[in-house]
Amino acid sequence: MTALTKKEDSADMPSDTSSVITGRCYCGLITFYTSSKPQTVAYCHCTDCRRATGGPVSAFAAFSEGAIVFTPNEGKRITVNSGVTRTFCERCGSSLTGRYDYLPNQIYISLGVIDQADDLAPEMHGHEAQRLSWLHIVDDLTRSESTTRDMLVAKSGIP
């Protein structure tokens, strides 16, 4: 069995895969799945997310903490800024998840590693004030000059 087929062979995979969201890191060492829909999907223009993902803008899908199953694990954890923990594949470096103390019980998965990313359109922009001046995403989404914390909390139902 190769790392690229591990998710397909997982005994834990739900039998009804029509609503399953799957993904993997670049090298395929780490795979994940969930049968839950994201609580929200958002762009983030902050410097921190850009550095962590390597892109000019980041996009994430938020899920309940226990809704995602990783195989063999979630990857290497790193905390650079207080209150923010991210995970990466230790072998290929793919950015996988983000957890934020101010958004408890949620896990944010980088859209770039989700197989069904084309079906998960972002609903908002965060940290618009930090957007790169040459990057122009034309849409009608809500744009927050700084954090979208309040919007994310409202969408997730976190008290």
Side-chain angles (χ1 to χ4, degrees), residues 102-148:
Y102 60 87
L103 297 166
N105 303 314
Q106 283 191 307
I107 183 170
Y108 285 74
I109 307 285
S110 298
L111 277 188
V113 297
I114 296 177
D115 296 328
Q116 296 78 17
D118 196 41
D119 299 329
L120 303 175
E123 303 165 350
M124 64 185 78
H125 290 264
H127 295 278
E128 176 71 14
Q130 293 183 41
R131 178 182 50 82
L132 296 172
S133 63
W134 50 261
L135 181 65
H136 304 283
I137 299 175
V138 180
D139 59 36
D140 294 327
L141 302 179
T142 301
R143 293 172 185 262
S144 175
E145 288 297 306
S146 60
T147 183
T148 54

mmCIF file of all heavy atoms in Angstrom, residues 102-148:
data_model
loop_
_atom_site.group_PDB
_atom_site.id
_atom_site.type_symbol
_atom_site.label_atom_id
_atom_site.label_comp_id
_atom_site.label_asym_id
_atom_site.label_seq_id
_atom_site.Cartn_x
_atom_site.Cartn_y
_atom_site.Cartn_z
ATOM 1 N N TYR A 102 -8.826 31.689 20.403
ATOM 2 C CA TYR A 102 -10.063 32.474 20.451
ATOM 3 C C TYR A 102 -11.203 31.828 19.659
ATOM 4 O O TYR A 102 -12.324 32.333 19.660
ATOM 5 C CB TYR A 102 -9.822 33.901 19.961
ATOM 6 C CG TYR A 102 -9.325 34.027 18.540
ATOM 7 C CD1 TYR A 102 -10.195 34.075 17.465
ATOM 8 C CD2 TYR A 102 -7.963 34.120 18.295
ATOM 9 C CE1 TYR A 102 -9.739 34.189 16.167
ATOM 10 C CE2 TYR A 102 -7.488 34.245 16.996
ATOM 11 C CZ TYR A 102 -8.388 34.273 15.944
ATOM 12 O OH TYR A 102 -7.912 34.391 14.654
ATOM 13 N N LEU A 103 -10.932 30.695 19.014
ATOM 14 C CA LEU A 103 -11.959 29.918 18.310
ATOM 15 C C LEU A 103 -11.889 28.475 18.815
ATOM 16 O O LEU A 103 -11.448 27.569 18.111
ATOM 17 C CB LEU A 103 -11.745 29.973 16.797
ATOM 18 C CG LEU A 103 -11.860 31.354 16.171
ATOM 19 C CD1 LEU A 103 -11.294 31.367 14.756
ATOM 20 C CD2 LEU A 103 -13.311 31.812 16.186
ATOM 21 N N PRO A 104 -12.296 28.249 20.074
ATOM 22 C CA PRO A 104 -12.128 26.922 20.679
ATOM 23 C C PRO A 104 -12.951 25.852 19.976
ATOM 24 O O PRO A 104 -13.990 26.133 19.373
ATOM 25 C CB PRO A 104 -12.617 27.131 22.120
ATOM 26 C CG PRO A 104 -13.522 28.313 22.060
ATOM 27 C CD PRO A 104 -12.989 29.190 20.949
ATOM 28 N N ASN A 105 -12.439 24.648 20.063
ATOM 29 C CA ASN A 105 -13.111 23.461 19.521
ATOM 30 C C ASN A 105 -13.293 23.499 18.009
ATOM 31 O O ASN A 105 -14.174 22.844 17.475
ATOM 32 C CB ASN A 105 -14.462 23.240 20.215
ATOM 33 C CG ASN A 105 -14.304 23.105 21.707
ATOM 34 O OD1 ASN A 105 -13.430 22.391 22.178
ATOM 35 N ND2 ASN A 105 -15.116 23.824 22.458
ATOM 36 N N GLN A 106 -12.466 24.285 17.326
ATOM 37 C CA GLN A 106 -12.496 24.324 15.865
ATOM 38 C C GLN A 106 -11.115 24.013 15.322
ATOM 39 O O GLN A 106 -10.100 24.286 15.951
ATOM 40 C CB GLN A 106 -12.900 25.701 15.351
ATOM 41 C CG GLN A 106 -14.373 25.984 15.446
ATOM 42 C CD GLN A 106 -14.700 27.247 14.681
ATOM 43 O OE1 GLN A 106 -14.093 28.288 14.896
ATOM 44 N NE2 GLN A 106 -15.648 27.149 13.789
ATOM 45 N N ILE A 107 -11.112 23.453 14.131
ATOM 46 C CA ILE A 107 -9.874 23.187 13.408
ATOM 47 C C ILE A 107 -10.049 23.759 12.006
ATOM 48 O O ILE A 107 -11.088 23.574 11.373
ATOM 49 C CB ILE A 107 -9.546 21.677 13.388
ATOM 50 C CG1 ILE A 107 -8.223 21.413 12.689
ATOM 51 C CG2 ILE A 107 -10.668 20.869 12.772
ATOM 52 C CD1 ILE A 107 -7.727 19.985 12.853
ATOM 53 N N TYR A 108 -9.066 24.494 11.558
ATOM 54 C CA TYR A 108 -9.098 25.121 10.236
ATOM 55 C C TYR A 108 -8.162 24.353 9.315
ATOM 56 O O TYR A 108 -6.980 24.221 9.605
ATOM 57 C CB TYR A 108 -8.685 26.601 10.335
ATOM 58 C CG TYR A 108 -9.796 27.428 10.930
ATOM 59 C CD1 TYR A 108 -10.080 27.372 12.279
ATOM 60 C CD2 TYR A 108 -10.598 28.212 10.116
ATOM 61 C CE1 TYR A 108 -11.134 28.100 12.820
ATOM 62 C CE2 TYR A 108 -11.652 28.935 10.640
ATOM 63 C CZ TYR A 108 -11.900 28.873 12.002
ATOM 64 O OH TYR A 108 -12.961 29.580 12.512
ATOM 65 N N ILE A 109 -8.710 23.835 8.232
ATOM 66 C CA ILE A 109 -7.941 23.048 7.261
ATOM 67 C C ILE A 109 -7.652 23.931 6.056
ATOM 68 O O ILE A 109 -8.558 24.570 5.504
ATOM 69 C CB ILE A 109 -8.738 21.804 6.794
ATOM 70 C CG1 ILE A 109 -9.225 20.970 7.971
ATOM 71 C CG2 ILE A 109 -7.921 20.986 5.797
ATOM 72 C CD1 ILE A 109 -8.177 20.153 8.658
ATOM 73 N N SER A 110 -6.398 23.969 5.618
ATOM 74 C CA SER A 110 -6.017 24.727 4.426
ATOM 75 C C SER A 110 -6.757 24.180 3.216
ATOM 76 O O SER A 110 -6.744 22.970 2.961
ATOM 77 C CB SER A 110 -4.510 24.625 4.186
ATOM 78 O OG SER A 110 -3.788 25.179 5.266
ATOM 79 N N LEU A 111 -7.434 25.050 2.469
ATOM 80 C CA LEU A 111 -8.203 24.590 1.299
ATOM 81 C C LEU A 111 -7.337 23.879 0.272
ATOM 82 O O LEU A 111 -7.798 22.974 -0.410
ATOM 83 C CB LEU A 111 -8.912 25.756 0.615
ATOM 84 C CG LEU A 111 -10.241 26.205 1.188
ATOM 85 C CD1 LEU A 111 -10.891 27.238 0.277
ATOM 86 C CD2 LEU A 111 -11.181 25.068 1.434
ATOM 87 N N GLY A 112 -6.087 24.272 0.154
ATOM 88 C CA GLY A 112 -5.210 23.691 -0.853
ATOM 89 C C GLY A 112 -4.946 22.210 -0.689
ATOM 90 O O GLY A 112 -4.529 21.549 -1.629
ATOM 91 N N VAL A 113 -5.209 21.649 0.495
ATOM 92 C CA VAL A 113 -4.975 20.223 0.714
ATOM 93 C C VAL A 113 -6.279 19.421 0.715
ATOM 94 O O VAL A 113 -6.264 18.212 0.910
ATOM 95 C CB VAL A 113 -4.171 19.953 2.012
ATOM 96 C CG1 VAL A 113 -2.788 20.578 1.923
ATOM 97 C CG2 VAL A 113 -4.914 20.433 3.250
ATOM 98 N N ILE A 114 -7.411 20.089 0.484
ATOM 99 C CA ILE A 114 -8.714 19.416 0.456
ATOM 100 C C ILE A 114 -9.048 19.017 -0.984
ATOM 101 O O ILE A 114 -9.000 19.838 -1.895
ATOM 102 C CB ILE A 114 -9.819 20.335 1.032
ATOM 103 C CG1 ILE A 114 -9.537 20.620 2.510
ATOM 104 C CG2 ILE A 114 -11.195 19.698 0.843
ATOM 105 C CD1 ILE A 114 -10.520 21.585 3.157
ATOM 106 N N ASP A 115 -9.374 17.753 -1.172
ATOM 107 C CA ASP A 115 -9.693 17.244 -2.513
ATOM 108 C C ASP A 115 -10.917 17.921 -3.126
ATOM 109 O O ASP A 115 -10.985 18.105 -4.329
ATOM 110 C CB ASP A 115 -9.928 15.727 -2.470
ATOM 111 C CG ASP A 115 -8.686 14.950 -2.071
ATOM 112 O OD1 ASP A 115 -7.557 15.392 -2.398
ATOM 113 O OD2 ASP A 115 -8.837 13.892 -1.425
ATOM 114 N N GLN A 116 -11.884 18.287 -2.321
ATOM 115 C CA GLN A 116 -13.125 18.893 -2.800
ATOM 116 C C GLN A 116 -13.096 20.423 -2.683
ATOM 117 O O GLN A 116 -14.149 21.068 -2.601
ATOM 118 C CB GLN A 116 -14.326 18.343 -2.006
ATOM 119 C CG GLN A 116 -14.559 16.862 -2.178
ATOM 120 C CD GLN A 116 -13.599 15.999 -1.365
ATOM 121 O OE1 GLN A 116 -12.939 16.451 -0.438
ATOM 122 N NE2 GLN A 116 -13.499 14.732 -1.722
ATOM 123 N N ALA A 117 -11.931 21.033 -2.712
ATOM 124 C CA ALA A 117 -11.802 22.488 -2.534
ATOM 125 C C ALA A 117 -12.648 23.271 -3.532
ATOM 126 O O ALA A 117 -13.148 24.356 -3.213
ATOM 127 C CB ALA A 117 -10.338 22.910 -2.629
ATOM 128 N N ASP A 118 -12.841 22.744 -4.725
ATOM 129 C CA ASP A 118 -13.640 23.448 -5.733
ATOM 130 C C ASP A 118 -15.096 23.628 -5.289
ATOM 131 O O ASP A 118 -15.781 24.535 -5.750
ATOM 132 C CB ASP A 118 -13.584 22.696 -7.066
ATOM 133 C CG ASP A 118 -14.045 23.546 -8.232
ATOM 134 O OD1 ASP A 118 -13.690 24.742 -8.283
ATOM 135 O OD2 ASP A 118 -14.776 23.011 -9.085
ATOM 136 N N ASP A 119 -15.549 22.788 -4.368
ATOM 137 C CA ASP A 119 -16.921 22.859 -3.858
ATOM 138 C C ASP A 119 -17.039 23.728 -2.608
ATOM 139 O O ASP A 119 -18.135 23.861 -2.062
ATOM 140 C CB ASP A 119 -17.430 21.457 -3.518
ATOM 141 C CG ASP A 119 -17.450 20.536 -4.721
ATOM 142 O OD1 ASP A 119 -17.659 21.037 -5.849
ATOM 143 O OD2 ASP A 119 -17.239 19.325 -4.533
ATOM 144 N N LEU A 120 -15.944 24.284 -2.128
ATOM 145 C CA LEU A 120 -15.930 24.999 -0.854
ATOM 146 C C LEU A 120 -15.551 26.461 -1.052
ATOM 147 O O LEU A 120 -14.477 26.909 -0.659
ATOM 148 C CB LEU A 120 -14.954 24.323 0.116
ATOM 149 C CG LEU A 120 -15.214 22.841 0.395
ATOM 150 C CD1 LEU A 120 -14.113 22.259 1.262
ATOM 151 C CD2 LEU A 120 -16.580 22.646 1.035
ATOM 152 N N ALA A 121 -16.429 27.219 -1.639
ATOM 153 C CA ALA A 121 -16.158 28.630 -1.908
ATOM 154 C C ALA A 121 -16.093 29.435 -0.616
ATOM 155 O O ALA A 121 -16.951 29.278 0.254
ATOM 156 C CB ALA A 121 -17.238 29.212 -2.819
ATOM 157 N N PRO A 122 -15.088 30.297 -0.470
ATOM 158 C CA PRO A 122 -15.016 31.158 0.708
ATOM 159 C C PRO A 122 -16.243 32.051 0.837
ATOM 160 O O PRO A 122 -16.883 32.405 -0.153
ATOM 161 C CB PRO A 122 -13.748 31.978 0.462
ATOM 162 C CG PRO A 122 -12.899 31.083 -0.381
ATOM 163 C CD PRO A 122 -13.896 30.412 -1.306
ATOM 164 N N GLU A 123 -16.552 32.398 2.086
ATOM 165 C CA GLU A 123 -17.718 33.201 2.419
ATOM 166 C C GLU A 123 -17.353 34.592 2.920
ATOM 167 O O GLU A 123 -18.239 35.427 3.114
ATOM 168 C CB GLU A 123 -18.537 32.479 3.487
ATOM 169 C CG GLU A 123 -18.967 31.090 3.055
ATOM 170 C CD GLU A 123 -19.459 30.232 4.210
ATOM 171 O OE1 GLU A 123 -19.307 30.627 5.391
ATOM 172 O OE2 GLU A 123 -19.993 29.155 3.932
ATOM 173 N N MET A 124 -16.066 34.827 3.200
ATOM 174 C CA MET A 124 -15.634 36.110 3.755
ATOM 175 C C MET A 124 -14.130 36.287 3.576
ATOM 176 O O MET A 124 -13.424 35.325 3.286
ATOM 177 C CB MET A 124 -15.999 36.195 5.241
ATOM 178 C CG MET A 124 -15.273 35.170 6.094
ATOM 179 S SD MET A 124 -15.792 35.141 7.827
ATOM 180 C CE MET A 124 -17.340 34.246 7.710
ATOM 181 N N HIS A 125 -13.685 37.532 3.736
ATOM 182 C CA HIS A 125 -12.260 37.875 3.722
ATOM 183 C C HIS A 125 -11.885 38.413 5.098
ATOM 184 O O HIS A 125 -12.573 39.296 5.619
ATOM 185 C CB HIS A 125 -11.965 38.991 2.713
ATOM 186 C CG HIS A 125 -12.087 38.593 1.282
ATOM 187 N ND1 HIS A 125 -11.007 38.209 0.532
ATOM 188 C CD2 HIS A 125 -13.168 38.538 0.463
ATOM 189 C CE1 HIS A 125 -11.412 37.943 -0.703
ATOM 190 N NE2 HIS A 125 -12.723 38.128 -0.772
ATOM 191 N N GLY A 126 -10.793 37.927 5.642
ATOM 192 C CA GLY A 126 -10.271 38.456 6.898
ATOM 193 C C GLY A 126 -8.974 39.201 6.653
ATOM 194 O O GLY A 126 -8.247 38.923 5.707
ATOM 195 N N HIS A 127 -8.700 40.166 7.512
ATOM 196 C CA HIS A 127 -7.461 40.949 7.472
ATOM 197 C C HIS A 127 -7.242 41.626 6.122
ATOM 198 O O HIS A 127 -6.133 41.658 5.588
ATOM 199 C CB HIS A 127 -6.255 40.087 7.856
ATOM 200 C CG HIS A 127 -6.317 39.616 9.276
ATOM 201 N ND1 HIS A 127 -5.926 40.399 10.319
ATOM 202 C CD2 HIS A 127 -6.757 38.448 9.809
ATOM 203 C CE1 HIS A 127 -6.096 39.735 11.459
ATOM 204 N NE2 HIS A 127 -6.602 38.546 11.172
ATOM 205 N N GLU A 128 -8.310 42.189 5.589
ATOM 206 C CA GLU A 128 -8.258 42.890 4.295
ATOM 207 C C GLU A 128 -7.202 43.997 4.299
ATOM 208 O O GLU A 128 -6.565 44.257 3.277
ATOM 209 C CB GLU A 128 -9.646 43.464 3.971
ATOM 210 C CG GLU A 128 -9.711 44.294 2.723
ATOM 211 C CD GLU A 128 -9.589 43.505 1.427
ATOM 212 O OE1 GLU A 128 -9.714 42.270 1.445
ATOM 213 O OE2 GLU A 128 -9.364 44.135 0.377
ATOM 214 N N ALA A 129 -6.972 44.613 5.431
ATOM 215 C CA ALA A 129 -5.986 45.694 5.517
ATOM 216 C C ALA A 129 -4.563 45.194 5.240
ATOM 217 O O ALA A 129 -3.697 45.979 4.866
ATOM 218 C CB ALA A 129 -6.046 46.381 6.885
ATOM 219 N N GLN A 130 -4.332 43.891 5.391
ATOM 220 C CA GLN A 130 -3.011 43.319 5.121
ATOM 221 C C GLN A 130 -2.922 42.684 3.730
ATOM 222 O O GLN A 130 -1.894 42.113 3.375
ATOM 223 C CB GLN A 130 -2.660 42.284 6.187
ATOM 224 C CG GLN A 130 -2.462 42.874 7.566
ATOM 225 C CD GLN A 130 -2.056 41.818 8.567
ATOM 226 O OE1 GLN A 130 -1.243 40.935 8.289
ATOM 227 N NE2 GLN A 130 -2.627 41.898 9.759
ATOM 228 N N ARG A 131 -3.989 42.799 2.945
ATOM 229 C CA ARG A 131 -3.987 42.228 1.596
ATOM 230 C C ARG A 131 -2.853 42.837 0.786
ATOM 231 O O ARG A 131 -2.581 44.026 0.862
ATOM 232 C CB ARG A 131 -5.334 42.512 0.898
ATOM 233 C CG ARG A 131 -5.402 41.987 -0.526
ATOM 234 C CD ARG A 131 -6.715 42.333 -1.208
ATOM 235 N NE ARG A 131 -7.093 43.726 -1.111
ATOM 236 C CZ ARG A 131 -6.636 44.706 -1.904
ATOM 237 N NH1 ARG A 131 -5.753 44.435 -2.852
ATOM 238 N NH2 ARG A 131 -7.055 45.941 -1.745
ATOM 239 N N LEU A 132 -2.174 42.018 0.007
ATOM 240 C CA LEU A 132 -1.129 42.518 -0.882
ATOM 241 C C LEU A 132 -1.758 43.488 -1.885
ATOM 242 O O LEU A 132 -2.815 43.187 -2.464
ATOM 243 C CB LEU A 132 -0.445 41.366 -1.607
ATOM 244 C CG LEU A 132 0.312 40.388 -0.694
ATOM 245 C CD1 LEU A 132 0.780 39.178 -1.486
ATOM 246 C CD2 LEU A 132 1.478 41.074 -0.005
ATOM 247 N N SER A 133 -1.126 44.624 -2.086
ATOM 248 C CA SER A 133 -1.726 45.690 -2.902
ATOM 249 C C SER A 133 -2.014 45.259 -4.340
ATOM 250 O O SER A 133 -2.939 45.766 -4.959
ATOM 251 C CB SER A 133 -0.825 46.926 -2.902
ATOM 252 O OG SER A 133 0.424 46.607 -3.495
ATOM 253 N N TRP A 134 -1.270 44.300 -4.864
ATOM 254 C CA TRP A 134 -1.463 43.881 -6.252
ATOM 255 C C TRP A 134 -2.457 42.735 -6.400
ATOM 256 O O TRP A 134 -2.798 42.332 -7.507
ATOM 257 C CB TRP A 134 -0.135 43.478 -6.891
ATOM 258 C CG TRP A 134 0.671 42.521 -6.073
ATOM 259 C CD1 TRP A 134 1.719 42.829 -5.252
ATOM 260 C CD2 TRP A 134 0.503 41.093 -5.987
ATOM 261 N NE1 TRP A 134 2.213 41.691 -4.656
ATOM 262 C CE2 TRP A 134 1.487 40.610 -5.097
ATOM 263 C CE3 TRP A 134 -0.367 40.185 -6.565
ATOM 264 C CZ2 TRP A 134 1.614 39.265 -4.772
ATOM 265 C CZ3 TRP A 134 -0.247 38.838 -6.243
ATOM 266 C CH2 TRP A 134 0.742 38.398 -5.352
ATOM 267 N N LEU A 135 -2.948 42.207 -5.262
ATOM 268 C CA LEU A 135 -3.884 41.091 -5.302
ATOM 269 C C LEU A 135 -5.312 41.628 -5.278
ATOM 270 O O LEU A 135 -5.723 42.298 -4.340
ATOM 271 C CB LEU A 135 -3.673 40.165 -4.106
ATOM 272 C CG LEU A 135 -4.590 38.948 -4.044
ATOM 273 C CD1 LEU A 135 -4.323 38.003 -5.216
ATOM 274 C CD2 LEU A 135 -4.414 38.226 -2.734
ATOM 275 N N HIS A 136 -6.077 41.333 -6.326
ATOM 276 C CA HIS A 136 -7.457 41.812 -6.439
ATOM 277 C C HIS A 136 -8.387 40.632 -6.673
ATOM 278 O O HIS A 136 -8.457 40.099 -7.780
ATOM 279 C CB HIS A 136 -7.591 42.829 -7.570
ATOM 280 C CG HIS A 136 -6.662 43.975 -7.413
ATOM 281 N ND1 HIS A 136 -6.881 44.996 -6.517
ATOM 282 C CD2 HIS A 136 -5.475 44.250 -8.006
ATOM 283 C CE1 HIS A 136 -5.885 45.857 -6.568
ATOM 284 N NE2 HIS A 136 -5.011 45.417 -7.464
ATOM 285 N N ILE A 137 -9.085 40.234 -5.625
ATOM 286 C CA ILE A 137 -10.089 39.184 -5.732
ATOM 287 C C ILE A 137 -11.428 39.900 -5.813
ATOM 288 O O ILE A 137 -11.842 40.574 -4.871
ATOM 289 C CB ILE A 137 -10.042 38.222 -4.530
ATOM 290 C CG1 ILE A 137 -8.676 37.532 -4.461
ATOM 291 C CG2 ILE A 137 -11.176 37.204 -4.623
ATOM 292 C CD1 ILE A 137 -8.471 36.653 -3.240
ATOM 293 N N VAL A 138 -12.068 39.778 -6.950
ATOM 294 C CA VAL A 138 -13.322 40.490 -7.176
ATOM 295 C C VAL A 138 -14.489 39.580 -6.779
ATOM 296 O O VAL A 138 -14.716 38.546 -7.412
ATOM 297 C CB VAL A 138 -13.448 40.929 -8.651
ATOM 298 C CG1 VAL A 138 -14.757 41.664 -8.885
ATOM 299 C CG2 VAL A 138 -12.265 41.793 -9.050
ATOM 300 N N ASP A 139 -15.173 39.948 -5.718
ATOM 301 C CA ASP A 139 -16.353 39.225 -5.259
ATOM 302 C C ASP A 139 -17.180 40.149 -4.376
ATOM 303 O O ASP A 139 -16.780 41.279 -4.110
ATOM 304 C CB ASP A 139 -15.965 37.926 -4.525
ATOM 305 C CG ASP A 139 -15.076 38.164 -3.315
ATOM 306 O OD1 ASP A 139 -15.258 39.178 -2.600
ATOM 307 O OD2 ASP A 139 -14.197 37.325 -3.055
ATOM 308 N N ASP A 140 -18.314 39.668 -3.933
ATOM 309 C CA ASP A 140 -19.212 40.452 -3.083
ATOM 310 C C ASP A 140 -19.167 39.987 -1.633
ATOM 311 O O ASP A 140 -20.092 40.256 -0.867
ATOM 312 C CB ASP A 140 -20.648 40.358 -3.605
ATOM 313 C CG ASP A 140 -20.810 41.018 -4.959
ATOM 314 O OD1 ASP A 140 -20.109 42.022 -5.215
ATOM 315 O OD2 ASP A 140 -21.624 40.520 -5.762
ATOM 316 N N LEU A 141 -18.107 39.301 -1.240
ATOM 317 C CA LEU A 141 -18.017 38.760 0.115
ATOM 318 C C LEU A 141 -17.742 39.861 1.132
ATOM 319 O O LEU A 141 -17.133 40.886 0.819
ATOM 320 C CB LEU A 141 -16.903 37.711 0.190
ATOM 321 C CG LEU A 141 -17.029 36.518 -0.751
ATOM 322 C CD1 LEU A 141 -15.843 35.583 -0.572
ATOM 323 C CD2 LEU A 141 -18.341 35.789 -0.530
ATOM 324 N N THR A 142 -18.166 39.624 2.367
ATOM 325 C CA THR A 142 -17.872 40.529 3.471
ATOM 326 C C THR A 142 -16.368 40.591 3.665
ATOM 327 O O THR A 142 -15.695 39.562 3.627
ATOM 328 C CB THR A 142 -18.545 40.018 4.764
ATOM 329 O OG1 THR A 142 -19.944 39.931 4.541
ATOM 330 C CG2 THR A 142 -18.251 40.921 5.928
ATOM 331 N N ARG A 143 -15.857 41.794 3.862
ATOM 332 C CA ARG A 143 -14.418 41.997 4.076
ATOM 333 C C ARG A 143 -14.198 42.711 5.401
ATOM 334 O O ARG A 143 -14.750 43.778 5.625
ATOM 335 C CB ARG A 143 -13.814 42.820 2.936
ATOM 336 C CG ARG A 143 -13.844 42.066 1.608
ATOM 337 C CD ARG A 143 -13.432 42.939 0.432
ATOM 338 N NE ARG A 143 -13.597 42.213 -0.802
ATOM 339 C CZ ARG A 143 -12.601 41.590 -1.438
ATOM 340 N NH1 ARG A 143 -11.378 41.648 -0.965
ATOM 341 N NH2 ARG A 143 -12.848 40.930 -2.551
ATOM 342 N N SER A 144 -13.411 42.091 6.235
ATOM 343 C CA SER A 144 -13.075 42.680 7.520
ATOM 344 C C SER A 144 -11.659 43.243 7.430
ATOM 345 O O SER A 144 -10.748 42.545 6.986
ATOM 346 C CB SER A 144 -13.152 41.614 8.611
ATOM 347 O OG SER A 144 -12.713 42.132 9.837
ATOM 348 N N GLU A 145 -11.483 44.486 7.827
ATOM 349 C CA GLU A 145 -10.156 45.109 7.782
ATOM 350 C C GLU A 145 -9.168 44.377 8.679
ATOM 351 O O GLU A 145 -7.975 44.354 8.403
ATOM 352 C CB GLU A 145 -10.244 46.581 8.184
ATOM 353 C CG GLU A 145 -10.909 47.446 7.132
ATOM 354 C CD GLU A 145 -10.124 47.467 5.826
ATOM 355 O OE1 GLU A 145 -8.917 47.787 5.837
ATOM 356 O OE2 GLU A 145 -10.727 47.148 4.780
ATOM 357 N N SER A 146 -9.655 43.793 9.763
ATOM 358 C CA SER A 146 -8.783 43.027 10.651
ATOM 359 C C SER A 146 -9.359 41.618 10.796
ATOM 360 O O SER A 146 -9.811 41.037 9.826
ATOM 361 C CB SER A 146 -8.640 43.745 11.999
ATOM 362 O OG SER A 146 -9.900 43.878 12.616
ATOM 363 N N THR A 147 -9.369 41.109 11.978
ATOM 364 C CA THR A 147 -9.810 39.735 12.196
ATOM 365 C C THR A 147 -11.294 39.538 11.880
ATOM 366 O O THR A 147 -12.096 40.456 12.031
ATOM 367 C CB THR A 147 -9.533 39.291 13.651
ATOM 368 O OG1 THR A 147 -9.915 37.923 13.795
ATOM 369 C CG2 THR A 147 -10.288 40.136 14.654
ATOM 370 N N THR A 148 -11.619 38.344 11.458
ATOM 371 C CA THR A 148 -13.019 37.963 11.238
ATOM 372 C C THR A 148 -13.527 37.163 12.437
ATOM 373 O O THR A 148 -14.531 36.468 12.344
ATOM 374 C CB THR A 148 -13.173 37.130 9.952
ATOM 375 O OG1 THR A 148 -12.272 36.020 10.022
ATOM 376 C CG2 THR A 148 -12.919 37.943 8.711
#
